[in-house]
Amino acid sequence: EDAVKAIVLDGVNLFCGTSQGVFWSTDDGASWKPCGRGLPEYFDVSGLLLKGSNLYAIDWQGNLWKLRL
């Protein structure tokens, strides 16, 4: 299993960051889908920030990625 390192809630959208990348749920976490198009294959998320229609993810090395939602 993978530990959740960051969580962002936006209405019905729930985003979580793990050592395996970013995931997205619209059913209160009952099911999850990958949400990391454009991220490296193994992206160890340290933090998430939602601003407007963009989700920002930072990894443990300080690299910042912008995901358009």
Side-chain angles (χ1 to χ4, degrees):
E1 293 188 24
D2 199 14
V4 173
K5 297 181 177 184
I7 296 175
V8 173
L9 177 63
D10 177 36
V12 299
N13 297 305
L14 181 61
F15 301 93
C16 76
T18 72
S19 63
Q20 301 298 310
V22 179
F23 296 87
W24 167 54
S25 175
T26 57
D27 57 9
D28 293 325
S31 63
W32 294 92
K33 300 174 189 170
C35 176
R37 190 177 298 166
L39 290 176
E41 184 176 351
Y42 297 103
F43 190 77
D44 189 355
V45 177
S46 291
L48 294 174
L49 170 71
L50 184 65
K51 183 167 172 115
S53 62
N54 296 311
L55 180 67
Y56 296 88
I58 190 166
D59 71 6
W60 64 276
Q61 293 177 318
N63 298 307
L64 180 66
W65 294 79
K66 179 169 108 176
L67 305 170
R68 292 194 183 269
L69 303 176

